[in-house]
Amino acid sequence: YMLNISIQNPVAAQSSPSISILATTPDFDIQEAAMVKPNTALLGVPGGANPLEVVVPSFVNKTMGQTTLLPSVVNTLSLTLVSNVELLSGAWITISGLENAGIVGTSVGLVVKAGGQDVSGYFCDGSGQGGAGEWNSVTWTLTIEVCGGSIFSVGAEYWLGVNVTNPAVGQSSPAIRISASSMLVDIVVSGVDKLSDALFGVMDGREPLRVVV
């Protein structure tokens, strides 16, 4: 016999608790015993198939920086991402708040590396073009799809680079946010962590889209 019970998981993360089973009847009792758990992975999480194991999806690393703070020049924005759950093909990663980033057109080329290997082809724009993201110059938003047949793996470090043109006027680094959504997993929006290294002698000059004239 197989018994299926539909429940709603708690909001907070938790490890699978100790679960036991017993039975009583008018004629005999079955002594309480611990349930056997599958201990198999789910969405790339070890032991994720164990009952009531709960993981809150998140980017455990979401660090962003830049290569130059000078005005009106090409600037490589870099974003390092690590997720605690798998993002399967069809998932969208959204980076918003890229204020005044100069990108021509709606499709922008990406360089993505994982483990030192170029995996740019794993990521697509809205048309399915590999090695590209979709740019919205009205909302200053870059969206990237995990291409068909690809997986954003748990614990893998992905380095994403995109070239933009800095604005002609000075500005502070804007509030840049990141989120992800798919049929199975949503990662709620949160601010990226910004590199705080000095650049050209300017404190915090590596903060993305900070421009000094």
Side-chain angles (χ1 to χ4, degrees):
Y1 295 92
M2 178 177 290
L3 177 64
N4 292 318
I5 304 173
S6 294
I7 63 170
Q8 183 168 327
N9 281 339
V11 173
Q14 67 175 31
S15 299
S16 176
S18 298
I19 301 174
S20 58
I21 188 170
L22 58 83
T24 59
T25 75
D27 301 313
F28 62 88
D29 295 334
I30 298 178
Q31 188 175 6
E32 183 177 5
M35 299 286 285
V36 177
K37 300 177 182 179
N39 290 318
T40 54
L42 184 63
L43 290 175
V45 178
N50 290 342
L52 291 172
E53 179 84 17
V54 177
V55 172
V56 178
S58 67
F59 289 114
V60 294
N61 188 345
K62 46 178 180 171
T63 305
M64 196 169 191
Q66 66 178 3
T67 56
T68 183
L69 47 66
L70 300 178
S72 304
V73 298
V74 175
N75 179 16
T76 300
L77 301 180
S78 64
L79 177 62
T80 301
L81 289 178
V82 179
S83 173
N84 65 351
V85 295
E86 281 181 344
L87 296 174
L88 304 180
S89 60
W92 283 94
I93 298 169
T94 301
I95 306 160
S96 58
L98 298 170
E99 294 180 14
N100 299 315
I103 296 176
V104 178
T106 58
S107 181
V108 57
L110 304 174
V111 176
V112 187
K113 295 183 179 180
Q117 302 296 314
D118 190 324
V119 294
S120 303
Y122 291 9
F123 301 92
C124 300
D125 62 12
S127 68
Q129 178 182 339
E134 186 169 329
W135 173 246
N136 187 319
S137 60
V138 176
T139 60
W140 308 112
T141 298
L142 176 65
T143 51
I144 307 164
E145 183 181 10
V146 180
C147 296
S150 300
I151 295 176
F152 192 106
S153 300
V154 171
E157 184 176 276
Y158 293 87
W159 181 93
L160 181 152
V162 57
N163 288 334
V164 305
T165 300
N166 280 343
V169 297
Q171 67 175 30
S172 299
S173 177
I176 301 173
R177 298 166 295 277
I178 188 168
S179 62
S181 60
S182 69
M183 292 289 291
L184 297 176
V185 172
D186 289 323
I187 296 179
V188 298
V189 63
S190 62
V192 301
D193 300 316
K194 300 176 181 180
L195 291 177
S196 58
D197 310 43
L199 187 61
F200 302 145
V202 178
M203 291 183 60
D204 300 328
R206 292 289 304 280
E207 290 187 342
L209 290 173
R210 180 176 184 186
V211 176
V212 174
V213 178

